[in-house]
Amino acid sequence: MSLIKLTIKGISYSQTQSGAYALVLSEMEGSRTLPIIIGAFEAQSIAIALEKEIRPPRPLTHDLFKTFSDRFLITVKEVIIHKLVDGVFFSSLICERDGVEETIDTRTSDAIAIAVRFQAPIYTYENILDKAGIYLKIEEELSLGETLSQEEDLDLEEIITKKESGFSEMSLEELNNQLDTAVNNENYELAAKIRDEISKRS
C-alpha cells in the first residue's frame, strides 16, 4: 500500500472528551483530514514544538527524547500511522543509527510530538484515511499552533478573554514579565496570547 504524507493542521479542544484535545492531520495533496484524540500533555508538547518562540523552563519528555537521540546519533526518519483498531491509532517510529534502521512501536500522540522535533515526515495508509478521514469544509476552523478552537469551553474562553483585555493597558516590559511568568507556570495558551500582543507592537 502506498503511503500518504500528512501535515499538522491544528489542535483544538475536544468537544466529545473532557480534558482531551483533537489533533487534526491533513493530507498534503488532498482535502481529507485525520482527527486524532490526544491527551492534554501531548497536545501541549506538540504545540510547544510548533511554537518556536516559546520554550519551557525545563525540557519536556519529548525534548529529552530528542536530546538523548542526538547524543547517541539516532535519527527519526519518519512516522507511520499504520493501523486503526476500535478507534485507536497505532504508529511506528522509523529510526536509524549507523546505517541500521529500526522500527519502534509508539503511541500516535508521542510519535507526532517526536516527529515535530526531528522535522520528520508523517505518513499513513490510504485505507486508514478512507476509514477515518473526513473532509474539512471550513478551512479557517484551525490554524497552526493554536491549542484552543473557536468552539472551546465558554468558561475557559471567558477567562482568556478577560486576561487578554488587560494586555492592551500593559507596557512592553510588563508584557515580557507576564510572558516569562506564563512560561514558567507552563501556561502556554496564555503565553501565546501575550506573545501575540507583543508582536502587534513590534
Side-chain angles (χ1 to χ4, degrees):
M1 288 181 287
S2 62
L3 290 170
I4 298 173
K5 190 172 183 180
L6 303 171
T7 185
I8 298 173
K9 187 169 185 63
I11 305 171
S12 66
Y13 191 76
S14 173
Q15 300 300 300
T16 58
Q17 294 188 29
S18 178
Y21 289 78
L23 169 67
V24 181
L25 304 176
S26 176
E27 61 179 329
M28 293 286 286
E29 299 180 2
S31 58
R32 287 175 297 181
T33 59
L34 195 65
I36 301 173
I37 300 300
I38 62 176
F41 171 77
E42 291 79 11
Q44 174 181 279
S45 182
I46 293 169
I48 289 170
L50 292 171
E51 194 62 67
K52 303 299 183 185
E53 296 178 27
I54 295 178
R55 283 286 174 268
R58 300 292 296 154
L60 301 178
T61 304
H62 300 113
D63 297 320
L64 177 60
F65 183 94
K66 174 68 163 63
T67 303
F68 179 90
S69 300
D70 289 344
R71 188 65 55 89
F72 290 95
L73 305 178
I74 301 168
T75 60
V76 173
K77 295 177 62 179
E78 60 190 24
V79 165
I80 300 176
I81 304 171
H82 61 83
K83 188 166 66 173
L84 174 61
V85 179
D86 297 329
V88 178
F89 292 92
F90 291 77
S91 296
S92 297
L93 287 175
I94 311 302
C95 305
E96 184 180 66
R97 181 175 184 267
D98 293 335
V100 178
E101 193 173 283
E102 297 284 350
T103 300
I104 301 174
D105 182 45
T106 178
R107 296 189 309 165
T108 300
S109 55
D110 288 328
I112 292 171
I114 291 168
V116 173
R117 286 163 169 80
F118 279 89
Q119 298 183 337
I122 303 165
Y123 297 98
T124 193
Y125 292 108
E126 179 70 37
N127 65 321
I128 292 178
L129 264 180
D130 283 341
K131 189 174 181 180
I134 60 172
Y135 290 91
L136 197 62
K137 294 181 180 178
I138 305 175
E139 294 296 328
E140 293 78 17
E141 278 185 352
L142 299 168
S143 61
L144 196 62
E146 287 183 345
T147 56
L148 297 173
S149 73
Q150 295 175 352
E151 300 173 353
E152 64 194 332
D153 183 80
L154 288 177
D155 291 336
L156 185 56
E157 177 70 33
E158 288 172 6
I159 292 169
I160 291 176
T161 301
K162 286 178 181 177
K163 287 179 178 176
E164 282 185 301
S165 64
F167 294 160
S168 58
E169 300 172 3
M170 294 183 183
S171 67
L172 276 175
E173 183 179 353
E174 289 173 324
L175 285 171
N176 283 306
N177 289 335
Q178 288 287 332
L179 179 60
D180 291 340
T181 300
V183 171
N184 288 332
N185 291 333
E186 298 185 359
N187 188 345
Y188 300 110
E189 290 87 2
L190 178 59
K193 301 289 184 182
I194 298 172
R195 184 216 60 223
D196 290 343
E197 178 64 28
I198 293 172
S199 297
K200 286 179 188 176
R201 304 189 191 184
S202 300

